[in-house]
Amino acid sequence: ATSTIARASDVLAVQTRLRRSLETTAGEKRSCSPPCHTGFLYPPFFLSHSVPLVVFQDDLIAVVKKPEMLVTIGKKREDLQSFLPFLLYPPDSEDSELMTPAPVHRLDRRTSGLVLVAKTRSALRELGRSFAERRVKKSYAAWVLQNKNATPPPASDADDGAPWNVIDYPIDGKKSTTHWRPLRTLPLPSLPSSGSEEHFQLSLLDIRPVTGRYHQIRRHLSYCLGMPIVGDGKYDGGGSVAMSLRCADGRIYLCSYRLEFPYPAVTKGTVNITRTERPGDIDPAIDDGYDLGANKKFAVRTWRKGFSCSEDDGSSITMMSVCVPLPQKFGQISG
């Protein structure tokens, strides 16, 4: 039994969305994890209006879009991990199945976006190794408050050859690196006059953290660049303009919109990946020129990449990229 008592409308809303998430491309339905695994008959109902979205899943992994104001892994049954057994179907493979799906990494509670999930022990082990070796690329977008008179730092080339600015500043005594680049600017929305708003503007940044320290993006942007994320009351410095842009419920403008990672399969041939799609939602031909503001589609794509190692020199791995559009509020910030 569940310890949570919910309204009938909440139960219906959750169950309807969960049934849709379990439909495969072929239209067949597969059940979620049994109660003997989860210990509960029903999912957490407090999230009836913000159920996490399954962007991709197969027998080994899943990629889930986490809503903001939800912790990834928490002590109580109010986190993303508690929802996963009701969102994802269990693996149908010979691999050792996890009792419940496990997030491989975390997002801050106030950050929305993509979370990579493992369904089997081998997938969890391989994905954990990829994160440890920094072979997983995470891309974020954030609206920040920028001083118009600030001089932008010189750009340098990242791994892909594109011009990126680099923040290399330790956090809590540990090496921490963040790549970022500006995408566009907007004037501030109408605010109560404070006399200083004319010196500021909003900037949309594309961000790629190389390391994963606690609140790394939020701290690097605020402390190193003086460009706090809009709504971030913890790191915005408490200025009059920054405070006027805060949300009453503590929400911030930071979203993890893309993940690129080695698919956890040891195989010489092509990996057959079944995608959970909705007609018109997924454009597999999308490329790295993804328009953060205008594109409204999901994208899931895979490709082979040459990779050399001492055990099997000249072998290749399958890379996977998952991309989602930004939350609607990102396009409504100016007005």
Side-chain angles (χ1 to χ4, degrees):
T2 177
S3 59
T4 304
I5 300 177
R7 300 190 306 271
S9 59
D10 290 343
V11 176
L12 179 62
V14 171
Q15 291 179 340
T16 300
R17 295 192 65 178
L18 296 186
R19 282 198 300 270
R20 290 175 180 172
S21 72
L22 293 174
E23 292 185 6
T24 64
T25 307
E28 61 177 313
K29 293 185 178 180
R30 299 173 65 172
S31 60
C32 54
S33 299
C36 62
H37 284 196
T38 64
F40 294 90
L41 291 174
Y42 303 103
F45 293 111
F46 75 99
L47 284 175
S48 60
H49 301 294
S50 57
V51 176
L53 174 67
V54 179
V55 180
F56 170 88
Q57 69 169 319
D58 63 9
D59 284 332
L60 296 180
I61 66 170
V63 180
V64 178
K65 185 178 181 183
K66 182 188 82 69
E68 56 189 340
M69 308 309 290
L70 173 67
V71 296
T72 307
I73 302 174
K75 297 181 179 179
K76 298 182 180 180
R77 196 170 175 259
E78 298 180 352
D79 57 2
L80 175 66
Q81 188 175 34
S82 298
F83 233 123
L84 293 177
F86 300 94
L87 284 169
L88 307 175
Y89 57 75
D92 183 17
S93 67
E94 298 178 356
D95 197 356
S96 179
E97 174 187 356
L98 292 170
M99 188 64 70
T100 57
V104 185
H105 62 113
R106 304 189 188 201
L107 292 181
D108 294 341
R109 182 172 70 93
R110 291 179 171 83
T111 305
S112 63
L114 298 176
V115 176
L116 186 55
V117 178
K119 293 186 178 183
T120 66
R121 297 184 188 280
S122 65
L124 182 61
R125 182 174 58 253
E126 292 300 320
L127 291 174
R129 182 181 296 117
S130 293
F131 271 95
E133 296 175 354
R134 296 179 183 172
R135 294 163 61 191
V136 179
K137 292 183 179 180
K138 298 173 288 183
S139 297
Y140 293 74
W143 277 110
V144 300
L145 183 63
Q146 180 183 19
N147 191 317
K148 296 179 182 179
N149 300 322
T151 302
S156 60
D157 289 343
D159 294 340
D160 58 4
W164 288 79
N165 301 302
V166 179
I167 303 172
D168 191 0
Y169 189 82
I171 292 179
D172 299 331
K174 298 179 180 179
K175 178 178 175 59
S176 306
T177 306
T178 303
H179 296 165
W180 68 277
R181 59 184 175 184
L183 297 174
R184 66 189 60 173
T185 59
L186 286 176
L188 289 179
S190 299
L191 300 172
S193 179
S194 63
S196 59
E197 61 270 11
E198 63 184 33
H199 301 297
F200 293 93
Q201 63 185 2
L202 299 175
S203 292
L204 180 63
L205 304 185
D206 192 8
I207 306 161
R208 290 183 181 177
V210 178
T211 52
R213 310 305 179 199
Y214 179 69
H215 290 177
Q216 175 175 315
I217 294 176
R218 296 164 63 183
R219 295 161 82 176
H220 267 176
L221 294 183
S222 179
Y223 296 162
C224 300
L225 301 183
M227 296 193 297
I229 296 174
V230 173
D232 192 353
K234 186 176 181 67
Y235 299 109
D236 65 9
S240 58
V241 176
M243 291 179 65
S244 64
L245 292 171
R246 292 179 184 175
C247 299
D249 56 3
R251 299 172 189 264
I252 66 175
Y253 284 79
L254 178 63
C255 176
S256 172
Y257 73 90
R258 184 195 293 272
L259 281 175
E260 181 181 312
F261 55 93
Y263 184 82
V266 181
T267 176
K268 297 284 185 181
T270 302
V271 177
N272 183 17
I273 297 176
T274 301
R275 293 187 301 211
T276 53
E277 303 185 2
R278 291 163 302 282
D281 282 348
I282 294 182
D283 177 11
I286 202 167
D287 58 18
D288 290 336
Y290 176 67
D291 188 336
L292 293 175
N295 198 298
K296 302 300 181 184
K297 296 182 178 180
F298 297 88
V300 180
R301 66 188 179 105
T302 60
W303 69 96
R304 303 295 289 178
K305 181 178 180 180
F307 178 71
S308 298
C309 59
S310 57
E311 293 80 8
D312 187 10
D313 190 33
S315 64
S316 65
I317 59 176
T318 295
M319 297 297 296
M320 187 170 188
S321 175
V322 181
C323 184
V324 294
L326 297 180
Q328 187 176 11
K329 71 176 187 179
F330 271 66
Q332 301 173 338
I333 188 169
S334 62

